[in-house]
Amino acid sequence: MTDTQDRPGAHEDPGTGAHGDTAAGAAVEFVYEITVPDLADSLNARLRATPSGRRTRWLLRVAGVVGAVWLVGLTLGDPVYTELLPPAAFLVVGFGLTPVVHFLQARQVHAAASRQGPFRATATDEGIRLVSRDSDTLHRWAMYTRCAETDTVFVLLTGDKHGVGMLTLPKRGATTADGADRLRALLDGHVERV
């Protein structure tokens, strides 16, 4: 984050003002309040887009299949109820835990982000300027080198293999009807799709 004291527009409400006006008029603006579903969707997109996330999904699916095979094997034989607990645990971990974990993570992040009120994100050829109540930051394209897209959000990811840094732009926040399409075109010129 950058110091907001000397930045132009640092004390403006992110829902108003003329942030992002460029000579060419190529800026794409999004104004939004972040929600738990936005963040959960972003975390799921990051899981699908990163090697460590894909590995985690693969391991959880293997655990679920092992649990299912084990459970079927025990029920076809003469199961004792204490023997059913481990495969049931594998099933829960393998197939049910990921969405729950992402929802809980999203709630934790939302608790901090929601205190910032509405966000204004302005994307240009230089990068993305993100303004909230207490911050005004320019993220140049070199910071976010990859992008994932879902039905509801654009997710910008840092270049490390884990995608540790993440920026969520909800499509509903576009200030113009063609905002999502314009952002998609801008992203295609600066970042890699994953």
Side-chain angles (χ1 to χ4, degrees):
M1 298 282 175
T2 59
D3 183 15
T4 60
Q5 296 298 328
D6 300 322
R7 303 283 307 241
H11 301 290
E12 294 177 23
D13 178 359
T16 63
H19 293 295
D21 293 339
T22 62
V28 182
E29 289 188 331
F30 286 73
V31 177
Y32 57 93
E33 290 197 35
I34 200 73
T35 65
V36 172
D38 293 335
L39 294 167
D41 204 13
S42 297
L43 289 167
N44 284 323
R46 185 178 78 180
L47 192 68
R48 289 187 303 271
T50 60
S52 61
R54 288 189 294 271
R55 186 172 43 253
T56 300
R57 286 174 52 145
W58 180 82
L59 288 172
L60 289 174
R61 287 180 179 153
V62 167
V65 169
V66 166
V69 169
W70 190 356
L71 189 60
V72 167
L74 287 175
T75 55
L76 292 177
D78 186 25
V80 177
Y81 289 108
T82 58
E83 292 176 348
L84 293 178
L85 187 58
F90 271 114
L91 283 171
V92 168
V93 169
F95 293 123
L97 200 56
T98 302
V100 172
V101 168
H102 282 162
F103 178 76
L104 294 174
Q105 286 176 330
R107 281 186 47 191
Q108 290 172 340
V109 173
H110 181 261
S114 65
R115 292 186 196 114
Q116 292 301 308
F119 288 85
R120 177 181 291 274
T122 306
T124 65
D125 281 329
E126 186 178 11
I128 296 181
R129 182 179 179 197
L130 188 63
V131 179
S132 70
R133 185 189 71 203
D134 296 327
S135 69
D136 182 350
T137 308
L138 175 64
H139 302 275
R140 289 185 171 69
W141 292 117
M143 181 170 180
Y144 294 109
T145 58
R146 299 177 294 161
C147 175
E149 182 179 351
T150 72
D151 291 340
T152 60
V153 296
F154 291 98
V155 184
L156 297 164
L157 301 167
T158 53
D160 59 285
K161 71 178 183 176
H162 301 293
V164 172
M166 180 176 80
L167 177 63
T168 301
L169 295 173
K171 293 179 180 180
R172 66 180 158 68
T175 58
T176 61
D178 64 344
D181 293 331
R182 290 176 54 216
L183 179 62
R184 192 176 296 113
L186 188 59
L187 292 172
D188 286 342
H190 295 283
V191 298
E192 174 190 356
R193 289 279 188 160
V194 291

